[in-house]
Amino acid sequence: MTVSIKDKLLTRLLQANGNPLSGQQLADDFGVSRTAIWKHLQVLQEEGYTLETVKKKGYILTGMPDRMDAARIQTFLQTKRIGQTIHHFEQVESTQLIAHDLVRQHTSDGTVVIAEQQTAGRGRMLRPWESTEGKGVWMTVILKPDVLPHQAPQFTLVAAVAVVNAMKAMFSSFTPEIKWPNDILINGRKCTGILTEMVAEADRVQALLIGIGINVNQQIDDFPEELQSIATSMAMAHGEPIDRALFIANVLDFLEHYSNLYIQHGFQPIKALWEEASGTIGKQVRATTLREVIEGEAIGITDTGVLQIRTADGEVKGVYSADIELT
């Protein structure tokens, strides 16, 4: 990916830590005119960044908007692979669609597609996902692990563990829980959905596209009326706004850690972490599959991530895909 002058400029301003940067030096470093530098600074200001000009010294970054620019996220990143390439958009139909195109173009392992707004976001079973502009995290992470196709669904659980632990690492004001297989709840309301899609041949995975939608800074009025009783955001639970770029960097750090753990040691350690964070295990549930409705106690997940439900007559049934309700 070619990094734009604007992104390079923002990176330099962030790295300067409040020290002035000479416009002429920036122009020389980037091989452009001082007028071009000034125009890119104007664009940054239009996006909400505030700058101070110090006479004969240069420009200082004095304030930042809540945006998910690649340069801001990468300032906080500790990863070696995930997030080293970030494609940031103001508005897209779906980050998953762009990720599919990038896979066809042989993009690198760990590439991230992120958008301030999605107009056609979707979750499991092609359900629409409400993607409020400038308030949430709407992204797809492209991974290229050396795994077999049947292992792909387990990465949804890997991602859920990563998001939950990123939340716990940053906030003690709320306790997120995983609802099998792909939702994260706060106080019983949905905050996050995860959708994993696979590009594969018969015997190998070419790429996994892990779509992650997280409600971060929404308030109740940002949700459609029909969702206000079942949806929430991190800011609603935390009580104040959250820096999305910092939070995304933490999610990507945890995702790299847990995906590496999976590759090195298999699903067992992920399974233990998932069950520890689960809000489903030990509860009475109703699972609606395409063929039947299963009611009983969720007693755990198998070594392949299949939900186990013990019915009233003592039979244990495995659920591979279903809508889950707590009863």
Side-chain angles (χ1 to χ4, degrees):
M1 176 186 177
T2 302
V3 180
S4 68
I5 297 294
K6 186 197 79 170
D7 287 339
K8 290 181 181 177
L9 183 55
L10 179 56
T11 298
R12 289 286 292 275
L13 288 165
L14 291 166
Q15 292 173 342
N17 293 318
N19 296 311
L21 293 178
S22 160
Q24 186 59 59
Q25 185 63 55
L26 290 167
D28 292 344
D29 290 348
F30 297 157
V32 297
S33 66
R34 286 196 64 175
T35 300
I37 293 295
W38 181 83
K39 287 181 178 178
H40 287 298
L41 289 171
Q42 290 293 107
V43 173
L44 287 173
Q45 289 180 307
E46 289 168 5
E47 291 177 349
Y49 292 92
T50 56
L51 300 163
E52 180 183 339
T53 304
V54 180
K55 191 174 182 180
K56 295 185 179 180
K57 290 189 176 181
Y59 304 100
I60 298 174
L61 183 65
T62 56
M64 292 174 286
D66 178 32
R67 284 175 55 83
M68 300 185 290
D69 292 298
R72 283 212 64 220
I73 296 169
Q74 290 169 337
T75 298
F76 303 116
L77 267 184
Q78 303 295 318
T79 62
K80 293 181 179 179
R81 296 180 295 109
I82 298 178
Q84 296 306 305
T85 297
I86 298 177
H87 298 263
H88 172 254
F89 300 90
E90 295 298 321
Q91 184 185 88
V92 299
E93 285 187 39
S94 164
T95 58
Q96 292 287 97
L97 294 176
I98 292 174
H100 275 284
D101 287 339
L102 290 171
V103 169
R104 285 190 284 270
Q105 296 166 29
H106 307 290
T107 192
S108 59
D109 178 33
T111 293
V112 175
V113 181
I114 196 159
E116 298 291 338
Q117 182 183 23
Q118 291 184 122
T119 58
R122 57 191 172 85
R124 289 174 65 243
M125 303 180 184
L126 300 179
R127 291 183 178 130
W129 177 272
E130 189 68 29
S131 306
T132 315
E133 181 180 3
K135 298 290 184 75
V137 169
W138 325 121
M139 70 177 177
T140 299
V141 181
I142 300 171
L143 298 183
K144 296 184 175 182
D146 183 15
V147 296
L148 298 172
H150 75 268
Q151 295 174 282
Q154 296 175 354
F155 277 81
T156 297
L157 308 186
V158 173
V161 167
V163 174
V164 158
N165 282 282
M167 290 180 178
K168 289 180 177 179
M170 290 183 66
F171 308 103
S172 59
S173 50
F174 59 86
T175 302
E177 295 182 326
I178 305 172
K179 176 188 171 188
W180 187 90
N182 69 328
D183 293 343
I184 294 171
L185 309 183
I186 298 175
N187 299 323
R189 297 186 175 191
K190 185 170 179 174
C191 173
T192 300
I194 299 168
L195 172 68
T196 300
E197 296 181 319
M198 175 176 58
V199 179
E201 297 173 355
D203 58 348
R204 74 180 188 95
V205 170
Q206 290 179 307
L208 298 176
L209 283 59
I210 304 177
I212 304 174
I214 308 171
N215 297 333
V216 180
N217 283 326
Q218 290 95 330
Q219 295 302 313
I220 193 66
D221 291 341
D222 291 314
F223 296 112
E225 187 173 345
E226 65 271 18
L227 297 181
Q228 290 182 3
S229 64
I230 58 174
T232 191
S233 73
M234 293 168 61
M236 288 169 62
H238 183 54
E240 59 185 61
I242 290 162
D243 185 332
R244 289 183 297 155
L246 175 59
F247 175 63
I248 292 163
N250 274 273
V251 171
L252 299 180
D253 287 344
F254 275 96
L255 183 58
E256 180 162 295
H257 171 72
Y258 288 126
S259 60
N260 287 344
L261 183 67
Y262 177 95
I263 295 301
Q264 293 166 7
H265 300 288
F267 187 62
Q268 201 62 36
I270 300 299
K271 177 183 180 226
L273 291 164
W274 189 96
E275 290 185 332
E276 180 184 329
S278 173
T280 306
I281 305 306
K283 303 287 180 63
Q284 293 294 315
V285 300
R286 179 184 298 110
T288 303
T289 73
L290 292 175
R291 295 182 300 174
E292 61 180 334
V293 176
I294 303 169
E295 294 189 5
E297 180 188 1
I299 60 173
I301 57 174
T302 68
D303 290 343
T304 57
V306 175
L307 182 65
Q308 299 283 282
I309 298 177
R310 180 186 290 120
T311 63
D313 61 6
E315 182 182 1
V316 176
K317 292 192 173 185
V319 177
Y320 294 82
S321 179
D323 279 337
I324 300 293
E325 298 175 76
L326 299 181
T327 59

